[in-house]
Amino acid sequence: MKIRMKVHMSGLRNGRPWPPVGQTTELPTGEAQHLCASGIAEEVTDDSPAEETATPPAAETTRAPASEAAEPPAETKRGRGRPRKTPSAGE
């Protein structure tokens, strides 16, 4: 039975990788029916169109607002631990 993959499957089948999404392969009827019933593949018939695969859109890039792009404040934060005591002006 000829099927078209709808989902990417990792691993090997009989020592060969599974076909990529949208590609077809020939499998034994029982195994092909199991994959079709679980939604992993679809049966290929002569009148079924090939599945189109879409490419993801390009990543959007944005600039930080001018207020965020300014230098960080002069006071730096310390990491974990107890805060140090700051000496008082009178000590």
Side-chain angles (χ1 to χ4, degrees):
M1 180 175 190
K2 194 170 187 178
I3 61 167
R4 180 176 294 113
M5 300 301 292
K6 293 171 61 178
V7 176
H8 171 74
M9 291 192 47
S10 63
L12 303 174
R13 182 187 177 280
N14 292 339
R16 303 185 76 197
W18 284 93
V21 175
Q23 296 294 314
T24 60
T25 188
E26 189 74 31
L27 293 177
T29 304
E31 187 176 356
Q33 288 175 342
H34 175 71
L35 292 175
C36 291
S38 63
I40 294 174
E42 62 185 0
E43 183 178 359
V44 175
T45 58
D46 294 335
D47 59 345
S48 65
E51 182 177 317
E52 295 182 20
T53 56
T55 56
E60 294 182 15
T61 57
T62 58
R63 292 185 182 169
S67 61
E68 292 179 15
E71 291 189 25
E75 181 182 320
T76 58
K77 292 187 175 185
R78 296 189 61 232
R80 302 167 119 182
R82 294 179 61 182
R84 293 184 183 168
K85 287 186 176 180
T86 54
S88 302
E91 289 184 15

